[in-house]
Amino acid sequence: MTHRITLIPGDGIGPEVTAAAVQVVEATGVSVEWIRQEAGLRAIEQGAESPLPAALLESIRSTRVALKGPITTPVGKGFRSVNVALRQKLDLYANVRPSRTLHGIKTPFENVDLTLFRENTEGLYSGMETYDERLEIADATARVTKAGSERIVRFCFEYARKNGHSRVTLVHKANILKVTSGLFLRVGEAIAKDYPEIEFEDRIVDNMCMQLVMYPERYDCLVTTNLFGDILSDLAAGLVGGLGVVAGANVGDDFAVFEAVHGSAPDIAGKGIANPTAVIQSAELMLRHVHEDRAADAVRAALEATFQEGKTLTRDLGGSASTWEFAAVVTEKVRNILD
Ligand code: NAD
């Protein structure tokens, strides 16, 4: 069977790292019809009506699955984040970001295995910001709904149950944000009762940051609201080798978009030195989502073997390999594993 998958190369390092991931997926022998769509500034340059073109949304509504590179968002001005708009328009409410130790990458920790579940459509990302010119006051609305909190917390517990995880930690700031963060915490406490086999606890976000940089091995699944999840997932990436190696999935009831945690990395874009591991690992999650587990296992094993050998590493991990040299080694290993 041929899978129809929307491919969004994005901008910055996006086209380089997604091309590497496509090459690795093709080496698995899984048949994919890639439907390429542009977004962000590249879409505008090519004459699209908006940075998030209707054709792109239509494509994902038809294929139901996308592999996406990062898209630059102008800071403090310009168009709204395409990434946030895409998640909201397709109701991709669960952002799943696993950070796992890859042996062979030098880090201060040995056995980190965290899966972060970030609420992806609400909170301070709701897009409700105002500025009163006369009073010079800026306000942002952090909308937290009971229904939105319930579905992300339940998604986390269901994932934990299905994948044999033993512990869920809910991260909040309910001591100060008693109404918004308080609602998220109350919902979590109620839903936890439906999963008595899974240990449940909560942590205040600032304490969570310290716990994670001191004892990351003690934690398993983390579930939290949008902004805390954004910050904690970069922190978690730092525990296992950095943004170059951490994958992500944006999942809703109908569609799923797979993308790395990292952004468009303008400082290294176009130089051929970006680490494609994060997008390759996102493609691994995508292969599992479309029930190609054998191919996904091969991609994971090939990455693990490459790191264990330690001969071909990109610069962010202390090596000197280019994006393509690294991708070529992983591609070759995938072929050998599946031969
Ligand atoms: P970034 O993740 O792009 O980069 C942070 C640092 O990590 C940089 O030093 C970069 O060189 C390094 N890095 C990131 N990915 C790497 C890789 N694959 N290999 C090696 N090094 C890597 O974060 P930023 O600089 O804060 O953001 C740049 C742009 O990306 C912004 O416009 C931001 O809005 C956007 N962004 C997009 C997404 C997305 O598309 N989902 C996510 C985050 C940021």
Side-chain angles (χ1 to χ4, degrees):
M1 138 179 206
T2 298
H3 300 279
R4 293 177 69 244
I5 295 177
T6 303
L7 177 69
I8 306 163
D11 54 37
I13 59 170
E16 305 162 52
V17 288
T18 50
V22 165
Q23 176 182 298
V24 171
V25 169
E26 293 193 337
T28 66
V30 169
S31 172
V32 176
E33 182 195 344
W34 300 102
I35 296 149
R36 196 186 160 108
Q37 295 287 336
E38 300 294 350
L41 261 187
R42 276 167 69 108
I44 300 277
E45 279 161 14
Q46 292 182 16
E49 77 291 358
S50 104
L52 181 55
L56 182 151
L57 288 168
E58 265 324 294
S59 173
I60 301 178
R61 288 195 177 106
S62 135
T63 61
R64 306 170 84 88
V65 184
L67 182 65
K68 174 182 167 298
I71 298 165
T72 304
T73 307
V75 176
K77 57 180 168 48
F79 58 78
R80 271 192 69 204
S81 165
V82 172
N83 307 303
V84 173
L86 183 65
R87 295 164 190 167
Q88 288 173 341
K89 282 201 184 308
L90 297 175
D91 204 19
L92 305 170
Y93 61 87
N95 192 338
V96 186
R97 295 178 157 182
S99 287
R100 212 179 51 238
T101 297
L102 282 159
H103 295 288
I105 298 181
K106 282 201 202 86
T107 65
F109 304 104
E110 286 291 306
N111 293 305
V112 177
D113 192 355
L114 294 166
T115 310
L116 193 127
F117 298 82
R118 164 188 176 189
E119 200 294 318
N120 220 10
T121 57
E122 305 190 335
L124 273 167
Y125 281 65
S126 303
M128 292 182 281
E129 281 196 304
T130 55
Y131 182 61
D132 187 318
E133 300 271 355
R134 196 175 58 84
L135 299 175
E136 298 181 310
I137 295 176
D139 286 306
T141 301
R143 174 161 294 168
V144 175
T145 67
K146 183 161 181 264
S149 304
E150 280 172 352
R151 63 182 184 171
I152 182 66
V153 174
R154 202 167 281 289
F155 186 100
C156 170
F157 273 102
E158 284 295 319
Y159 181 101
R161 178 176 271 174
K162 225 178 277 163
N163 295 284
H165 293 268
S166 56
R167 195 170 179 198
V168 168
T169 306
L170 181 146
V171 187
H172 63 88
K173 188 74 186 174
N175 52 332
I176 304 298
L177 305 170
K178 293 182 196 295
V179 180
T180 47
S181 233
L183 172 60
F184 193 74
L185 174 59
R186 280 200 310 282
V187 164
E189 287 168 341
I191 289 180
K193 296 197 172 73
D194 295 341
Y195 302 84
E197 78 280 18
I198 298 169
E199 192 189 332
F200 176 72
E201 60 181 6
D202 70 276
R203 290 278 182 280
I204 293 175
V205 63
D206 32 348
N207 176 29
M208 187 78 245
C209 291
M210 185 200 68
Q211 298 283 331
L212 284 178
V213 296
M214 292 188 77
Y215 320 109
E217 307 90 344
R218 292 188 190 168
Y219 294 89
D220 183 353
C221 294
L222 309 178
V223 62
T224 190
T225 45
N226 210 334
L227 181 62
F228 295 159
D230 184 39
I231 297 167
L232 285 175
S233 49
D234 273 34
L235 188 156
L239 302 172
V240 297
L243 285 169
V245 299
V246 179
N250 301 287
V251 188
D253 292 335
D254 301 315
F255 315 109
V257 175
F258 296 84
E259 65 175 339
V261 171
H262 65 69
S264 55
D267 50 339
I268 55 168
K271 296 183 178 160
I273 58 171
N275 188 344
T277 304
V279 180
I280 296 173
Q281 297 216 83
S282 305
E284 177 206 323
L285 298 177
M286 181 195 80
L287 287 167
R288 285 191 204 287
H289 180 81
V290 299
H291 309 295
E292 295 286 358
D293 285 325
R294 189 169 163 262
D297 289 344
V299 173
R300 178 180 290 200
L303 280 172
E304 284 173 351
T306 308
F307 288 120
Q308 246 149 20
E309 277 174 17
K311 287 193 292 205
T312 315
L313 297 177
T314 46
R315 288 183 200 197
D316 53 314
L317 299 178
S320 59
S322 69
T323 307
W324 284 108
E325 284 161 348
F326 179 85
V329 170
V330 177
T331 304
E332 175 74 16
K333 287 195 190 310
V334 166
R335 284 206 187 97
N336 290 342
I337 291 167
L338 290 170
D339 237 2

